[in-house]
Amino acid sequence: MAPVLRQPHVVLTGPLQLLAGDAVQWWDPDRYPHRDEVIDYLTAYAARLDVEIRTGTRVVEVSAEGEGFDITLDDGSRLAVRAVVAASGTFGNPYRPELPGFEDFTGTVLHAAEYRAPEPFAGQRVIVIGAGNSAVQIAAELATVARVTLATRAPVRFARQHILGRDLHFWLTVTGLDTAPLGRLLRTPPTQPVLDDGRYRAALNGGRPDRRAVFAEIGDSKVTWPDGTTEQVDTILLATGYRPDLPYLAGTGALDSQGRPLHRGGASLTHPTLAYVGLEWQRSLSSNSLRGVGRDAMLMARRLAARLRR
């Protein structure tokens, strides 16, 4: 049996970005930060933390032991801790819906998480399933090199990215909608509209990509559309979102039958020293984003600290 290591009171599992509690400061408040800027920010943030950070280490199991937890790592070592913050977020577990016939489809099936660039799909017949930002943006990009259909269950909803000269996120912030604690009022997260500066609506209106209702059948390398027409397809790309990435909590009783955490605002309903950070609509619209996760993290840290002082 691997040794049980006595460690600090709290273990946080998940990617480092979910530790970010500061507001990110950029020179231009109306542009989105580039990849390298985000990496630089997170690296600098981590350097200021007075905590042990282990990279390249995966938690494979968390088990409740008395008033604390026993954590098993992928190298076989174990930690005994008093509290756990599950900060795996909502982008580590791509959701792949079970559509009839998928198991017989001989073409390529990818999730949006695996998409990198349009060039490998040049000349192909591609169907993108989904109606969110990723689905529309990927479909529009692919349509420059391939024949693409965006398959959705309902018409795509758009939101203007710029209003009165400012980005939509500016207005969400100044109106308080970005941080309003509405999460506990929602039984299921609402579908987010596609942010558009005019390009994506124009692409759909121009038929590149075209939009259709989701196909009725799949067989071999063909799909059958609701009107009965059948055609050959090379690739089906699933832009169908993600689900919470919490397999290590499966044995704790902290998850429901679908693998979703039982919580209120990030506080576990089953274990008083278990908390979550980075869940979609955990407390607010921005809970699973870098701009909003810090607020929820602070609330969970205060809650756990109070509990551990008892």
Side-chain angles (χ1 to χ4, degrees):
M1 178 179 294
V4 177
L5 305 178
R6 294 290 159 182
Q7 294 289 331
H9 294 316
V10 181
V11 165
L12 184 146
T13 67
L16 182 62
Q17 66 262 34
L18 298 179
L19 291 170
D22 297 346
V24 182
Q25 299 297 320
W26 311 107
W27 291 111
D28 182 353
D30 287 314
R31 76 166 175 85
Y32 294 94
H34 298 295
R35 169 186 175 275
D36 289 345
E37 291 173 318
V38 175
I39 292 173
D40 289 344
Y41 166 72
L42 295 174
T43 302
Y45 187 94
R48 299 199 305 270
L49 295 176
D50 184 22
V51 297
E52 177 192 3
I53 298 176
R54 297 190 188 185
T55 59
T57 302
R58 182 176 295 275
V59 172
V60 295
E61 184 181 9
V62 174
S63 57
E65 298 291 339
E67 295 185 357
F69 300 91
D70 185 28
I71 297 176
T72 303
L73 306 180
D74 57 1
D75 62 4
S77 62
R78 293 162 58 197
L79 307 174
V81 301
R82 295 180 60 194
V84 170
V85 179
S88 306
T90 50
F91 300 105
N93 182 21
Y95 174 59
R96 298 172 183 267
E98 294 183 4
L99 297 177
F102 256 178
E103 63 278 4
D104 300 321
F105 182 63
T106 57
T108 300
V109 178
L110 297 173
H111 191 274
E114 302 168 279
Y115 175 80
R116 296 294 179 269
E119 288 76 16
F121 305 89
Q124 290 190 12
R125 177 70 176 104
V126 180
I127 298 174
V128 177
I129 300 178
N133 281 281
S134 294
V136 173
Q137 291 170 8
I138 291 173
E141 184 173 74
L142 283 172
T144 62
V145 300
R147 191 161 64 90
V148 183
T149 290
L150 181 70
T152 71
R153 298 193 183 281
V156 178
R157 296 188 301 117
F158 290 98
R160 291 173 57 191
Q161 187 162 351
H162 295 96
I163 302 171
L164 299 177
R166 302 301 298 267
D167 190 272
L168 175 64
H169 288 95
F170 168 84
W171 297 110
L172 291 174
T173 300
V174 298
T175 60
L177 291 174
D178 204 45
T179 58
L182 303 175
R184 65 177 57 192
L185 305 177
L186 302 172
R187 293 184 64 87
T188 57
T191 302
Q192 300 295 324
V194 175
L195 293 186
D196 186 28
D197 59 6
R199 288 178 294 167
Y200 300 116
R201 189 190 297 268
L204 281 174
N205 289 341
R208 297 188 65 190
D210 70 315
R211 190 198 76 82
R212 306 187 198 181
V214 176
F215 42 78
E217 245 179 87
I218 311 173
D220 297 326
S221 59
K222 298 179 181 178
V223 302
T224 301
W225 297 102
D227 63 5
T229 59
T230 299
E231 66 173 317
Q232 201 93 8
V233 173
D234 298 298
T235 298
I236 296 176
L237 194 148
L238 305 171
T240 45
Y242 299 80
R243 296 294 183 268
D245 190 21
L246 301 164
Y248 48 85
L249 293 177
T252 63
L255 310 178
D256 67 12
S257 60
Q258 303 298 314
R260 296 171 299 200
L262 300 168
H263 75 101
R264 180 173 290 112
S268 172
L269 296 177
T270 59
H271 298 75
T273 55
L274 171 63
Y276 301 93
V277 172
L279 299 175
E280 185 178 16
W281 282 100
Q282 176 170 315
R283 294 188 70 255
S284 68
L285 171 64
S286 59
S287 280
N288 68 334
S289 69
L290 190 59
R291 71 182 187 277
V293 71
R295 288 182 289 269
D296 294 353
M298 183 62 71
L299 289 172
M300 291 301 100
R302 289 172 176 167
R303 175 185 173 277
L304 288 177
R307 182 77 190 187
L308 294 173
R309 283 196 296 266
R310 294 179 186 177

